[in-house]
Amino acid sequence: MYKICKTEKSIERQKLFQTTLFSMMEKQNYHDITVTSLCREMGVPRKTLYRYFDTLEDVLFATIDESLTNSFLYLEVKVDIEGYFSYWKKNKYVLDVLEKNGLSPLLINRVYEHFNARVSSESSLENGIPNKGLKYFGYISAIMTMLVSWHHSGMHQTPKEMNVLVREMFRMD
């Protein structure tokens, strides 16, 4: 688990752990990185990491969750699929590092985990009928799968072209 920081200084420190981890993942495999090596790279004692994160995996999850939250704003506020794919094109670095380390599936896994937590905290049925959240989750899963596929294929289509593909797939508009 990672902490939700409230002060500017703690937010900056937490973010520094995240960017340092991703920087290290560019040069070496995630599974070869330890809490000790991350802290050594940052020049801080191990106990500093534990103020913000419970594990090294939580540093990774914080970055993934932040990226997912930022990209999903395009889909939740208004369905802006082009904006969603534009976000990821601008933040391709996150996808590149995850793929290089064989961690791309974590994107979809984190979406599942967050959705399951949301469903279990809310009722998944409204008058005996599955609520719109379950349908929405189907869309999100498909769009996430398209994102990973788009990235693996080199992101040759523009975000505008991806918008058309998604809208055709879901028969939107």
Side-chain angles (χ1 to χ4, degrees):
M1 187 91 183
Y2 52 89
K3 296 8 173 224
I4 304 299
C5 295
K6 293 181 171 68
T7 68
E8 195 171 313
K9 184 177 178 179
S10 61
I11 291 168
E12 286 175 23
R13 179 60 63 97
Q14 190 176 45
K15 188 74 173 159
L16 186 57
F17 275 106
Q18 293 170 243
T19 56
T20 303
L21 175 62
F22 265 66
S23 177
M24 291 176 73
M25 287 169 58
E26 284 183 287
K27 300 172 200 130
Q28 66 189 93
N29 190 292
Y30 167 76
H31 299 291
D32 296 332
I33 299 170
T34 64
V35 168
T36 300
S37 65
L38 175 61
C39 292
R40 188 178 315 121
E41 181 77 17
M42 290 182 61
V44 299
R46 286 174 53 101
K47 68 180 182 180
T48 305
L49 179 129
Y50 295 116
R51 287 186 201 146
Y52 307 99
F53 306 96
D54 291 341
T55 66
L56 183 65
E57 186 175 60
D58 291 334
V59 181
L60 177 65
F61 287 165
T63 306
I64 291 171
D65 292 351
E66 181 180 308
S67 294
L68 289 171
T69 298
N70 291 337
S71 68
F72 285 149
L73 291 176
Y74 292 97
L75 300 178
E76 289 184 3
V77 175
K78 68 174 191 161
V79 181
D80 179 5
I81 297 164
E82 186 176 338
Y84 172 81
F85 283 99
S86 292
Y87 170 87
W88 282 108
K89 187 127 186 158
K90 284 184 227 160
N91 293 279
K92 183 180 178 289
Y93 168 78
V94 173
L95 298 171
D96 291 344
V97 172
L98 290 174
E99 183 175 330
K100 180 183 181 295
N101 286 273
L103 300 171
S104 295
L106 279 180
L107 286 169
I108 296 170
N109 290 346
R110 292 302 286 177
V111 171
Y112 282 122
E113 288 174 21
H114 288 287
F115 183 79
N116 286 335
R118 179 187 263 177
V119 166
S120 59
S121 69
E122 303 169 359
S123 171
S124 63
L125 294 177
E126 293 173 7
N127 300 323
I129 301 168
N131 69 20
K132 64 181 179 185
L134 295 175
K135 182 178 178 186
Y136 175 73
F137 181 67
Y139 292 141
I140 293 299
S141 297
I143 290 170
M144 287 299 302
T145 302
M146 289 180 78
L147 170 68
V148 171
S149 176
W150 180 55
H151 180 256
H152 284 214
S153 69
M155 294 179 153
H156 297 295
Q157 299 90 344
T158 66
K160 186 175 246 172
E161 291 169 327
M162 292 305 293
N163 178 42
V164 170
L165 285 172
V166 169
R167 289 183 180 283
E168 285 175 358
M169 185 172 97
F170 292 119
R171 297 185 186 352
M172 298 169 94
D173 295 336

